[in-house]
Amino acid sequence: MTYFLMAEVALLLTLIAAKILFFPRLSVGEKSLLLERWSLNFSYEIVNRLLAFLVGTLILRSISLETASQSAIYFVFYILLLDFIFYWRHRFYHRWLWPIHQAHHSDSGYDFTLSLRIHPVETLVQMGFFVLVSSLMNVSAWQMFFAAHIFTIQALISHLEYKTPNTALLRGLKKIFVLSDTHRFHHDDKNPNCNFGFLFSFWDTIFGTTAKGQHHEST
Ligand SMILES: [Zn+2]
Ligand SMILES: [Zn+2]
């Protein structure tokens, strides 16, 4: 798990460093827009991390998770179930709780920091689902944190500003996983109510919410 935490931090630092290196090439207007966006997005991150630490500590003191880990196949099923819930939770936000989820959609730019721009209420709900499912499925604390890192890294990846190369491998991957090209459609005002998937893109295929035009772009 420590390795995954290190991977998560390393990815975040690499993305920040890449942007800082690119910063001098931006115009004055682009620089000020980026600083404005980043200060707000990182403020969300600080609040959410503090909240997650405080509430997470309280929850973990009041519940007891298994110490022995479940099998790898069981873990995959656990991830599938979490992602299925997150898909419907996302649809629910768009349909019924838009004022909360709107914070994530109110950014004028698109880069990895958008994955940090989450309303604190949404963070608490996300944590609640995570702990509830983990507890009901009797996964170990190690597996719960492992899953949390997978979803956090995925959030960074799906909000990358870079277009993925149009290769057969990546086209195939897009049919299974949500990549930034896929999730960008979700943030496009011209494509409302599509591509709600978090980790797996096939929920959108199954429930008919794949963005129109997505397949044209990827073939
Ligand atoms: Zn959304
Ligand atoms: Zn997003």
Side-chain angles (χ1 to χ4, degrees):
M1 190 187 74
T2 313
Y3 291 119
F4 257 78
L5 176 61
M6 283 164 65
E8 186 186 311
V9 173
L11 178 62
L12 190 59
L13 291 178
T14 306
L15 291 168
I16 293 171
K19 202 76 181 189
I20 290 171
L21 282 175
F22 192 69
F23 193 75
R25 291 198 223 163
L26 299 177
S27 68
V28 177
E30 286 170 332
K31 279 178 187 165
S32 89
L33 180 65
L34 187 72
L35 289 174
E36 191 186 304
R37 287 184 50 240
W38 274 33
S39 23
L40 186 58
N41 293 354
F42 279 104
S43 302
Y44 270 105
E45 173 70 353
I46 292 165
V47 171
N48 284 325
R49 288 274 170 174
L50 278 172
L51 201 59
F53 176 73
L54 293 172
V55 179
T57 307
L58 285 175
I59 292 174
L60 289 175
R61 273 190 192 157
S62 55
I63 61 160
S64 57
L65 286 162
E66 298 288 320
T67 46
S69 292
Q70 304 282 358
S71 68
I73 293 174
Y74 191 91
F75 182 74
V76 171
F77 181 68
Y78 162 65
I79 294 284
L80 273 167
L81 179 63
L82 278 173
D83 200 52
F84 175 75
I85 292 170
F86 293 162
Y87 167 84
W88 283 103
R89 182 213 53 164
H90 196 175
R91 287 189 69 169
F92 191 83
Y93 273 119
H94 274 258
R95 183 81 176 83
W96 304 105
L97 293 172
W98 177 246
I100 293 171
H101 187 57
Q102 194 179 20
H104 182 62
H105 282 266
S106 60
D107 197 337
S108 55
Y110 194 93
D111 64 20
F112 67 97
T113 65
L114 183 48
S115 71
L116 314 175
R117 192 182 179 113
I118 304 293
H119 194 289
V121 172
E122 210 176 325
T123 301
L124 285 176
V125 172
Q126 175 92 339
M127 281 181 69
F129 275 122
F130 230 103
V131 174
L132 183 67
V133 173
S134 305
S135 180
L136 288 175
M137 286 193 70
N138 289 322
V139 295
S140 65
W142 186 92
Q143 286 176 316
M144 186 181 80
F145 285 114
F146 186 18
H149 289 309
I150 290 175
F151 282 101
T152 306
I153 289 174
Q154 168 59 14
L156 286 169
I157 291 171
S158 63
H159 290 93
L160 289 176
E161 66 203 270
Y162 314 108
K163 260 178 99 59
T164 47
N166 191 13
T167 63
L169 174 67
L170 286 168
R171 284 201 300 274
L173 271 180
K174 273 191 237 179
K175 289 190 168 66
I176 302 169
F177 296 103
V178 174
L179 300 184
S180 59
D181 293 355
T182 324
H183 191 64
R184 202 177 289 114
F185 276 93
H186 177 71
H187 281 271
D188 185 348
D189 292 339
K190 286 179 280 187
N191 281 292
N193 300 320
C194 69
N195 292 14
F196 293 98
F198 193 142
L199 177 60
F200 298 114
S201 57
F202 48 70
W203 302 125
D204 285 293
T205 312
I206 293 169
F207 298 110
T209 49
T210 302
K212 289 181 180 67
Q214 181 178 308
H215 295 306
H216 298 296
E217 190 173 275
S218 60
T219 49

